[in-house]
Structure formats: C-alpha cells, structure tokens
Amino acid sequence: MWEEDPRWQQANYRVLVWSVAIGVVGSFFISLFSDDWRIFLIFLEVLGVILAALCIYAAFVWTVAHLGVKLWRVFRKLGHKNDDA
C-alpha cells in the first residue's frame, strides 16, 4: 500500500514540519509588523490545542490496546484452567 511506503511517510512528515514552521514564522512576522501579537498567540494556542488533542487520542488508543492485551491474557488463562478440570 502507498501508506506503508517510507518515501510517502517521509514526504508527509516534511510537509507537516514545514507547514508548522512556516505558520510559526509567518504569524510571528505578521504580528511583528502589525504590532498585534494576538495573531501569533492565537496561532500558538491553536497549535497547542491540536497537539493536546493528539496526545489525548494517543493516550486513549494506548490504554485501550493495553487493556485489550491484558483482558486477552486473563481470558486465555481462564480458558486453560477450565481445560485442566
């Protein structure tokens, strides 16, 4: 699949990094020349909210995955105990 191609993944990563960098630098210079720092602060706040949402999502997925593994192990052990009886 094209999603698994390392070149495609690296290209997406570069686009993301460059977009964030251009956004930070651009909003900084717009704020600097307009003497309105709300533009820069709003951009940083939106970036922080997106990062926080991604971290919460990652924590949720990690928790669900580990809970699933632990439940699978418990059910497997319970199944083996019933086979011995």
Side-chain angles (χ1 to χ4, degrees):
M1 295 287 293
W2 55 275
E3 299 101 1
E4 297 171 359
D5 185 11
R7 293 175 296 159
W8 185 83
Q9 291 175 357
Q10 290 170 356
N12 272 345
Y13 178 73
R14 279 191 299 257
V15 167
L16 177 68
V17 169
W18 276 106
S19 298
V20 170
I22 289 171
V24 168
V25 171
S27 64
F28 176 78
F29 280 117
I30 289 172
S31 294
L32 184 66
F33 291 126
S34 68
D35 287 331
D36 184 14
W37 290 99
R38 287 182 296 167
I39 298 168
F40 185 61
L41 294 177
I42 288 171
F43 182 80
L44 291 180
E45 285 177 1
V46 168
L47 203 59
V49 166
I50 292 170
L51 183 62
L54 286 173
C55 288
I56 290 169
Y57 173 72
F60 177 74
V61 169
W62 182 86
T63 303
V64 168
H66 280 276
L67 185 63
V69 169
K70 291 199 185 289
L71 286 173
W72 176 257
R73 288 181 184 163
V74 166
F75 287 133
R76 247 184 33 205
K77 285 182 182 180
L78 288 175
H80 287 298
K81 287 182 182 179
N82 288 339
D83 290 341
D84 292 339

